[in-house]
Amino acid sequence: MNSIIQYQLYLRIENDGVFILSNKQIYDYQFEYNRIICDSQILYQIKDIIYYYMSVLENVRYIKIQKIGEGAYGIIYKAQDVQTQEIVALKKFKLSDYEGVPSCALREISILKQLNHPNIIKLISQIIINKKLHLVMNYYDKDLTEYLKFYHEEFHLKNIIYKILLAVEFIHSRKIIHRDLQPNNILVKNNEPVIIDFGLSRVFSPNLTPGVTQLWYRAPELLQNCHSYDYAIDMWSLGCIILEIALNKPLFMGQSEIHQLLLIKNLIDGDEWFKQNSQFAKFNNLFIDLINKLLQIDPTKRITSKQAIQHPFFQDQFAFIYNNE
Amino acid sequence: LEFKLDLSMIIQKNGKTEEFYNLVLQSYLSKQQKPKEYLSKDDKGFDDEERIRFLNWLIEITYAYQMNYSTFFIVCSILDEYQKKTQNISRDNLHLTGVSCIYLASKFNDVIPLRLDQAIDISHNRLGRSKILKKELEIFECLDHQLNFSNGFLFLTLLLRLYLSKIKDKENDIIEI
């Protein structure tokens, strides 16, 4: 039996394409010179063969299991490390012949290398396979939107909010603006958040592009096409995310930039906007104060990440998001 | 990029800005452990004069292609760091290395990055596409994928920003950069 499989494997290496496992079953999957892409079920069945194949070609390190996400920059795969059996996430960038290493990859790698924090994704290594740049990172299966679909204890939610703020403070203290904070870019594992996706982030500079952050979490000064913003745009996104955690739905769901700006202006009207809205009646006073300080339209009045950590809401152990009465 | 500065020094010294600036910059640079000797002085290697000529030309390039002001400083740090690590920039390959550095830094730092066509334009069509891309990857890997150098421009921007914000509220005299 073994010898037959080996023989067929040998054949397929030369031909590329459909791969015959035994006489009865035919498995169809993509097969290239040093990597294998297939479904997870099939992978389980042909695991031994793949490991045999691995031992032939020593330069194989990761087996791609499944595609997780796709973006303008490239594709993210779930993969398994052959040497340590660990599940990792592979982020693939296209290295085109026209532009070389894409600028978002340049920024992401050099920024992630600087950041070493338990609540920020860790870059394990970066490799080049078939002229494509792959970033190897830890794998987490849940993001914040999926996490919020289930009921969770309040102290878990408060802990998540606090840990996100700690991580953002860490990023800002390194003079980096994240510029793409949104629930999809915050992963949760064992009630601990992890911030990912530094493709848009960059070092502070006096002149920047306004077209960053997902529309629902975009700060008002960005919507007004401002070219010289600072860390305050991250704090606005955080304000939206924290309210989303509490309300369990996104706060501003604009369809265009104008619509988004209108929604913001409608909700935040004067200094006492949160008192007029029945949505916020069930919240704790300290929590409302924190939100109010984060969602300031004037970026200079918005609190910084450092001040947010020292806010009384986090100092008081018994202050929860909702009123207990 | 962590650095603390005592603003009360300014008030005591009363006006001598140049002295104050030197003091700040010295303590800042000593924290960064910047290389003080940029160049190796062998016969065919690129020497001080060569470097200054290159940087002069670089100022024109950054102006002509409307790059960020800080890009100039980043190109400069990349070039120095690369020379420090490999010691193999010579008069012959300075052109290629320089253009690759400009291309890399622009992609890292600029709002609208330089296109490869423009990079070839800068070299007056003397360098090929694949040559630049190969060198670019080589530099990027040699620097351990780390392009985020602190530079004088960033330092001054942050200092100015903090100083302006401190004028508004005079709570404490120590600023952190």
Side-chain angles (χ1 to χ4, degrees):
Chain A
M1 182 66 189
N2 243 342
S3 61
I4 296 170
I5 293 169
Q6 283 173 16
Y7 175 67
Q8 284 167 344
L9 253 171
Y10 178 70
L11 264 183
R12 295 334 299 185
I13 290 169
E14 287 195 332
N15 288 338
D16 264 12
V18 180
F19 182 114
I20 302 164
L21 184 61
S22 72
N23 291 334
K24 288 171 191 168
Q25 291 163 299
I26 297 175
Y27 289 106
D28 184 14
Y29 60 86
Q30 221 178 316
F31 186 73
E32 281 175 38
Y33 143 72
N34 58 0
R35 63 195 171 137
I36 297 165
I37 305 163
C38 64
D39 284 343
S40 52
Q41 292 169 337
I42 300 174
L43 181 80
Y44 181 74
Q45 289 170 26
I46 59 170
K47 216 170 165 188
D48 295 338
I49 300 170
I50 290 174
Y51 284 143
Y52 163 76
Y53 181 66
M54 295 299 132
S55 62
V56 178
L57 274 168
E58 284 173 2
N59 60 348
V60 175
R61 176 82 194 269
Y62 299 101
I63 308 171
K64 287 173 186 171
I65 299 172
Q66 189 184 8
K67 197 157 124 183
I68 315 172
E70 196 170 353
Y73 44 81
I75 305 165
I76 307 171
Y77 293 101
K78 180 181 173 184
Q80 190 174 27
D81 191 334
V82 174
Q83 289 175 11
T84 60
Q85 306 292 318
E86 218 178 340
I87 299 286
V88 293
L90 279 184
K91 192 169 185 177
K92 185 175 97 177
F93 289 97
K94 291 160 196 155
L95 277 187
S96 71
D97 289 340
Y98 299 104
E99 293 301 328
V101 188
S103 55
C104 55
L106 281 182
R107 286 174 187 170
E108 180 151 16
I109 295 172
S110 56
I111 283 170
L112 274 180
K113 282 227 152 187
Q114 281 192 331
L115 301 174
N116 187 10
H117 189 270
N119 296 107
I120 292 170
I121 190 97
K122 202 173 156 230
L123 184 66
I124 299 170
S125 66
Q126 60 281 317
I127 44 172
I128 293 176
I129 306 170
N130 279 354
K131 285 190 174 181
K132 278 164 200 135
L133 185 65
H134 289 69
L135 304 191
V136 186
M137 291 179 284
N138 285 333
Y139 176 75
Y140 301 92
D141 52 354
K142 249 189 213 160
D143 68 12
L144 195 60
T145 2
E146 285 165 42
Y147 178 81
L148 290 177
K149 280 175 188 163
F150 304 98
Y151 174 78
H152 294 283
E153 298 280 345
E154 264 186 59
F155 67 90
H156 281 322
L157 295 181
K158 187 176 171 182
N159 179 43
I160 285 181
I161 294 174
Y162 186 59
K163 290 287 168 62
I164 294 172
L165 274 173
L166 275 185
V168 170
E169 200 269 335
F170 182 81
I171 297 170
H172 287 180
S173 72
R174 302 290 135 113
K175 310 298 154 235
I176 291 161
I177 318 178
H178 186 285
R179 305 206 298 180
D180 198 12
L181 282 174
Q182 49 164 303
N184 290 339
N185 284 343
I186 296 171
L187 305 180
V188 185
K189 191 184 188 186
N190 300 332
N191 297 311
E192 292 287 324
V194 176
I195 295 182
I196 57 157
D197 200 349
F198 286 74
L200 275 178
S201 48
R202 60 161 299 152
V203 182
F204 179 80
S205 145
N207 192 13
L208 302 156
T209 350
V212 293
T213 323
Q214 208 220 333
L215 186 61
W216 293 354
Y217 306 93
R218 207 176 285 173
E221 67 262 28
L222 290 179
L223 292 166
Q224 287 162 357
N225 241 350
C226 170
H227 283 271
S228 56
Y229 48 84
D230 60 357
Y231 313 109
I233 63 156
D234 278 353
M235 300 316 289
W236 175 276
S237 317
L238 272 182
C240 296
I241 292 170
I242 291 172
L243 253 189
E244 182 170 340
I245 292 173
L247 289 172
N248 224 339
K249 69 172 173 54
L251 185 62
F252 308 111
M253 294 188 275
Q255 273 139 29
S256 65
E257 295 190 5
I258 305 287
H259 187 209
Q260 180 78 8
L261 210 51
L262 259 173
L263 286 176
I264 293 172
K265 289 271 153 73
N266 280 345
L267 185 72
I268 301 174
D269 187 16
D271 287 338
E272 310 249 301
W273 55 275
F274 41 86
K275 281 186 184 164
Q276 297 154 10
N277 201 318
S278 59
Q279 263 185 317
F280 307 118
K282 58 185 176 182
F283 292 148
N284 189 315
N285 283 336
L286 285 174
F287 182 71
I288 286 182
D289 187 54
L290 174 68
I291 292 298
N292 184 32
K293 281 178 175 161
L294 285 171
L295 293 182
Q296 287 286 338
I297 293 198
D298 184 354
T300 53
K301 283 183 191 157
R302 227 171 279 156
I303 50 172
T304 62
S305 46
K306 208 170 207 171
Q307 290 162 336
I309 289 172
Q310 286 154 2
H311 191 274
F313 176 66
F314 299 112
Q315 308 294 336
D316 187 353
Q317 280 193 347
F318 300 102
F320 286 119
I321 298 172
Y322 307 104
N323 274 329
N324 287 325
E325 295 143 34
Chain B
L1 279 173
E2 277 179 41
F3 179 68
K4 282 188 187 175
L5 174 70
D6 198 345
L7 262 195
S8 54
M9 280 194 297
I10 306 180
I11 298 151
Q12 284 167 14
K13 298 229 165 169
N14 214 1
K16 288 198 173 180
T17 37
E18 203 172 309
E19 218 170 83
F20 168 70
Y21 174 74
N22 278 338
L23 200 79
V24 171
L25 201 64
Q26 266 172 25
S27 55
Y28 178 69
L29 286 181
S30 64
K31 287 239 169 93
Q32 303 295 323
Q33 295 176 338
K34 282 256 180 184
K36 288 202 176 115
E37 289 200 13
Y38 292 112
L39 312 155
S40 63
K41 289 194 176 157
D42 53 46
D43 304 333
K44 56 177 182 175
F46 96 132
D47 52 8
D48 246 339
E49 265 178 46
E50 202 77 15
R51 178 172 177 271
I52 288 167
R53 262 170 53 204
F54 172 76
L55 292 184
N56 261 334
W57 173 68
L58 182 60
I59 292 174
E60 280 173 35
I61 295 290
T62 45
Y63 179 73
Y65 287 85
Q66 297 184 335
M67 300 177 187
N68 262 357
Y69 297 119
S70 48
T71 310
F72 170 78
F73 295 93
I74 292 179
V75 176
C76 186
S77 344
I78 291 175
L79 194 74
D80 291 341
E81 205 74 14
Y82 183 66
Q83 171 71 347
K84 195 178 127 199
K85 282 206 172 139
T86 62
Q87 301 284 347
N88 72 0
I89 299 179
S90 63
R91 225 164 252 163
D92 306 328
N93 67 13
L94 174 62
H95 196 197
L96 173 62
T97 319
V99 171
S100 310
C101 284
I102 296 171
Y103 184 49
L104 198 62
S106 174
K107 278 203 289 191
F108 178 69
N109 194 50
D110 278 352
V111 176
I112 303 162
L114 208 64
R115 292 195 314 275
L116 188 53
D117 304 339
Q118 287 173 319
I120 294 168
D121 239 26
I122 291 176
S123 71
H124 299 286
N125 295 323
R126 264 180 225 162
L127 303 173
R129 218 165 248 281
S130 52
K131 247 186 179 176
I132 294 180
L133 290 182
K134 203 177 147 199
K135 195 76 185 174
E136 182 207 356
L137 212 60
E138 191 192 315
I139 295 172
F140 190 43
E141 261 162 27
C142 170
L143 298 183
D144 199 20
H145 307 275
Q146 187 64 272
L147 299 179
N148 212 349
F149 302 110
S150 64
N151 55 54
F153 186 78
L154 180 65
F155 171 71
L156 285 179
T157 320
L158 292 169
L159 186 66
L160 188 66
R161 221 173 79 88
L162 276 165
Y163 186 66
L164 290 177
S165 69
K166 281 292 158 185
I167 290 174
K168 280 181 196 162
D169 55 315
K170 288 177 179 170
E171 277 182 7
N172 54 26
D173 284 342
I174 296 174
I175 57 177
E176 281 176 40
I177 292 182

